[in-house]
Amino acid sequence: MQAWGKDQGIEGSMVTFVADPAATLTKALGMEMTHPGPPSVGIIGRCKRFALHVDDEEIKATVVSEGPDDPAGDDDPSATLAESMLKVVKGE
């Protein structure tokens, strides 16, 4: 995660990357992908594409990018990208 953060230029910013290798947080948030899609593409046990707005340890908003034929949100991740999340945060 540190190397990814460095590559993305977030060092020293307010963004924090968090690893969840055992899916503990993923399951607690109800974000485990359960779509029966092909295991060959890594869907089984994978985390949904989501973004959270958290303020003072309270989840204020949860946004998920997924669709009926796109459980990973790969075709349209826009809802969870920074621009959309900023709109969510400003609209609260």
Side-chain angles (χ1 to χ4, degrees):
M1 297 302 293
Q2 289 174 344
W4 189 18
K6 184 174 183 178
D7 178 68
Q8 296 301 305
I10 67 161
E11 288 182 313
S13 77
M14 62 187 247
V15 176
T16 303
F17 283 0
V18 180
D20 187 22
T24 305
L25 179 62
T26 299
K27 291 174 183 174
L29 293 171
M31 291 295 149
E32 184 176 17
M33 194 178 306
T34 57
H35 188 278
S40 63
V41 295
I43 289 181
I44 304 303
R46 184 173 156 189
C47 180
K48 294 180 181 183
R49 183 185 308 268
F50 72 100
L52 298 174
H53 172 220
V54 181
D55 184 25
D56 198 21
E57 299 182 18
E58 179 183 344
I59 297 173
K60 301 285 188 174
T62 304
V63 181
V64 181
S65 288
E66 65 182 341
D69 295 323
D70 183 23
D74 293 334
D75 292 337
D76 183 14
S78 61
T80 53
L81 299 179
E83 185 176 331
S84 294
M85 283 305 294
L86 288 172
K87 289 178 186 176
V88 168
V89 170
K90 289 178 182 178
E92 292 179 347

